[in-house]
Amino acid sequence: MNDGTGNVDETENDQNVKKIMFVMRSAPHGTIYSYEGLETVLIMAAFEQDLTMVFIGDGLFALVKDQMTDDIGIKGFIKTYGVLDDYEVEKIYVDRISMEERGLVPEDFAIDIEVKEAEEIAAIMENQHAIIPY
Amino acid sequence: MKFAVQVLRGPYNNQASDTAYNFVKAALSKGHEIVRIFFYHDGVINVNNLAEPPQDDRNIFARWTELGKDHGIDIVACIAASKRRGVKEGHIIEGTRISGLGQLTEMTIEADRLITFG
């Protein structure tokens, strides 16, 4: 699309990179939502979208380190979170109240996260092209 | 406006499929464009052609086929989610197809709004 600046290619390129936010609400095990949600994040990262992930409610448990899933007969996927950095998915936020309600602290998580207030998360949501809840 | 629609829940078990269908019909009747309907999680069961719902109830599968054929809407079930749930090419309803998460990405980029049901 030509925006009138004459630089068609660059405009088209910008049009194809969107701010997309994943709202991870589900516990990692018990349902597949969290795992399949992560698969979507990886695909969209491969498409070089401008991604943000926010973990709220039981969604936070997906990031807790040292998960042992052998006894429930389920393949764990906490290691997969480690590749997000390689895909340059760096905006990974955790809701402070959700964290405190669950007795978690930032050191409990397997990857680097940033703790945010609900108001801050809302402001980031305002700025997105699309929000995908899993 | 250009809408993209994502459905995450299976038919009958959850209202998401019905609400998504009603939303799409309403949007079309108001002159909006539907970029694509994408089924994910158990939503992929919406394209299974082996289902035989009771005749005195709505046929959710037939409704998707009708939308796909009559309105030329691209209706896609995620291939990875489909494989997990036994939904496969040759056993899907007319007017739909199975493809990858790239289709979800593409429609999200193209649409003005992505609406998720479920």
Side-chain angles (χ1 to χ4, degrees):
Chain A
M1 202 180 286
N2 192 332
D3 65 353
T5 62
N7 196 339
V8 177
D9 285 342
E10 192 174 297
T11 306
E12 269 194 352
N13 196 33
D14 289 344
Q15 294 269 339
N16 287 326
V17 178
K18 301 287 189 186
K19 291 168 94 73
I20 299 168
M21 184 189 221
F22 291 87
V23 182
M24 309 300 280
R25 310 174 291 179
S26 313
H29 314 297
T31 70
I32 200 168
Y33 307 138
S34 183
Y35 179 57
E36 285 191 332
L38 179 58
E39 288 191 333
T40 306
V41 174
L42 295 174
I43 294 289
M44 291 207 180
F47 277 76
E48 297 182 336
Q49 298 302 297
D50 182 359
L51 304 182
T52 302
M53 294 180 84
V54 61
F55 291 79
I56 63 172
D58 284 348
L60 272 68
F61 288 122
L63 296 178
V64 173
K65 60 186 171 193
D66 300 329
Q67 293 178 38
M68 291 180 289
T69 58
D70 286 356
D71 285 350
I72 55 170
I74 288 173
K75 183 183 152 200
F77 58 98
I78 184 67
K79 286 198 179 86
T80 309
Y81 277 98
V83 308
L84 287 176
D85 199 40
D86 302 333
Y87 279 96
E88 292 175 18
V89 180
E90 287 153 354
K91 288 173 278 190
I92 302 178
Y93 306 134
V94 160
D95 171 50
R96 181 182 63 82
I97 293 175
S98 300
M99 184 177 76
E100 290 179 2
E101 280 175 347
R102 285 159 185 78
L104 296 168
V105 293
E107 293 71 38
D108 290 324
F109 301 120
I111 57 169
D112 286 339
I113 53 92
E114 205 175 312
V115 178
K116 294 269 186 204
E117 300 297 324
E119 295 76 18
E120 293 177 286
I121 294 168
I124 297 165
M125 283 177 168
E126 287 276 336
N127 239 337
Q128 302 297 312
H129 170 71
I131 291 175
I132 306 185
Y134 284 129
Chain B
M1 191 173 277
K2 288 203 278 190
F3 289 107
V5 173
Q6 181 183 216
V7 181
L8 302 179
R9 300 289 183 261
Y12 299 101
N13 194 62
N14 189 290
Q15 199 186 320
S17 300
D18 297 281
T19 315
Y21 171 78
N22 289 330
F23 173 84
V24 169
K25 291 284 277 187
L28 290 171
S29 76
K30 296 281 184 190
H32 297 292
E33 184 189 329
I34 303 294
V35 177
R36 177 175 296 135
I37 300 169
F38 190 84
F39 293 116
Y40 198 43
H41 295 331
D42 279 358
V44 298
I45 297 165
N46 277 277
V47 305
N48 166 33
N49 80 348
L50 299 172
E52 289 176 40
Q55 302 231 331
D56 58 356
D57 196 0
R58 70 216 187 283
N59 188 322
I60 291 178
F61 308 95
R63 290 194 314 203
W64 292 127
T65 290
E66 165 224 300
L67 264 187
K69 286 169 76 177
D70 296 357
H71 299 276
I73 296 175
D74 191 23
I75 304 179
V76 178
C78 168
I79 189 162
S82 291
K83 280 186 169 178
R84 281 198 182 96
R85 293 164 177 86
V87 173
K88 62 191 293 187
E89 215 65 66
H91 300 281
I92 60 173
I93 55 174
E94 253 186 278
T96 64
R97 63 192 180 94
I98 295 180
S99 188
L101 283 163
Q103 301 289 301
L104 172 65
T105 309
E106 204 182 83
M107 77 177 193
T108 303
I109 293 168
E110 195 184 330
D112 299 311
R113 293 281 187 280
L114 168 71
I115 317 276
T116 298
F117 295 89

